[in-house]
Amino acid sequence: MSEDDRGRRPAGMLEDAVLAVLWEGGGPMSPADVQAVLPGEPAYTTVMTTMARLARKGLATRERAGRGFVYSAAVDEAGHTAAAMNELLRRRRDRAAVLARFVSELAPEDEEMLQRLLREGGTD
């Protein structure tokens, strides 16, 4: 489920959505710029708070622009996703079982890509 009964996203979902907008934006964006693109019409103050939180976490940078701030992603999408996957894996006792299940649930083309990456010893 993507939202609760009051229309709120689960914790972290808005941060992910804002990061996705920043990745697509290709340059510094104001909270109003991001708000205009986000689905579900979140309040401006909610977007502004979320962007400030991302900056505090080191996931976004911010710079003064007039009386406000503009933000850019400080991490790329692949790096951010890989770090999240690693963090989740580190919190599990039976990492081999988690990895085995993960691989078994991959689409065939993703499994082939993973095997190729493992053979080559890295990313593209």
Side-chain angles (χ1 to χ4, degrees), residues 41-58:
E41 301 177 8
Y44 175 82
T45 54
T46 300
V47 174
M48 185 175 62
T49 300
T50 300
M51 293 176 80
R53 185 178 302 122
L54 288 170
R56 281 193 306 275
K57 291 180 176 182

Side-chain angles (χ1 to χ4, degrees), residues 4-89:
D4 70 13
D5 293 338
R6 294 168 296 204
R8 291 195 217 167
R9 292 174 178 86
M13 294 289 292
L14 184 56
E15 286 185 5
D16 284 347
V18 168
L19 276 173
V21 171
L22 291 175
W23 290 322
E24 289 293 316
M29 298 178 77
S30 70
D33 295 334
V34 172
Q35 179 193 27
V37 178
L38 287 172
E41 301 177 8
Y44 175 82
T45 54
T46 300
V47 174
M48 185 175 62
T49 300
T50 300
M51 293 176 80
R53 185 178 302 122
L54 288 170
R56 281 193 306 275
K57 291 180 176 182
L59 299 173
T61 59
R62 79 178 189 172
E63 58 187 78
R64 179 76 60 189
R67 293 180 9 202
F69 291 95
V70 291
Y71 296 79
S72 299
V75 295
D76 66 11
E77 184 175 12
H80 178 65
T81 303
M85 291 169 67
N86 269 313
E87 172 61 28
L88 187 57
L89 182 60

Side-chain angles (χ1 to χ4, degrees), residues 89 92-103:
L89 182 60
R92 301 300 174 238
R93 285 181 297 164
D94 191 350
R95 294 183 355 206
V98 172
L99 287 169
R101 177 68 59 92
F102 175 75
V103 171

